[in-house]
Amino acid sequence: ESGDTSFCSDNKNNLVEWTPGSGTCPATLQPYQMSCQTASALVLVGVDAFNFTSEDSFREYVQREAPEDYIDDNSDFWPCKMDNVKILVAILAIMMAGEGMGM
């Protein structure tokens, strides 16, 4: 399991390295803040490439490492949860823009 694996990023939160067994990032890097979209994509690719034995162990890792305020809003971490009202407003806005361009 990847309990001691460190996922490290540069100052723009680009994943630049992961090192199994170290548990810390080099001084020039910082811990990577994985989004729920990235986590979902990694599950599709296969978590074994990141030193996890199963999807469940990966899910446990990201839930343990995610910021507390994020986990309070989305306890499953993925799939990404969105407010239904925001989705509906986005759909309506796209439809209205399409109607405007068709005139």
Side-chain angles (χ1 to χ4, degrees):
E1 316 279 42
S2 284
D4 288 336
T5 298
S6 58
F7 295 89
C8 304
S9 66
D10 59 15
N11 61 352
K12 295 181 181 175
N13 201 42
N14 296 310
L15 180 64
V16 293
E17 75 175 53
W18 66 92
T19 51
S22 73
T24 59
C25 291
T28 57
L29 301 175
Q30 60 195 15
Y32 177 62
Q33 292 293 314
M34 187 177 306
S35 68
C36 56
Q37 292 94 347
T38 304
S40 297
L42 289 177
V43 168
L44 291 174
V45 171
V47 295
D48 56 332
F50 287 87
N51 201 34
F52 290 93
T53 56
S54 68
E55 183 180 328
D56 289 336
S57 65
F58 179 64
R59 183 180 296 273
E60 289 171 14
Y61 175 81
V62 295
Q63 286 175 328
R64 183 177 66 244
E65 297 296 324
E68 282 186 38
D69 57 340
Y70 185 84
I71 290 297
D72 289 343
D73 290 338
N74 184 4
S75 61
D76 291 334
F77 194 77
W78 80 79
C80 300
K81 291 185 179 177
M82 299 183 78
D83 186 358
N84 293 336
V85 172
K86 292 178 184 174
I87 294 171
L88 182 59
V89 168
I91 291 170
L92 292 174
I94 291 168
M95 289 174 54
M96 290 175 66
E99 288 176 5
M101 296 184 96
M103 294 182 153

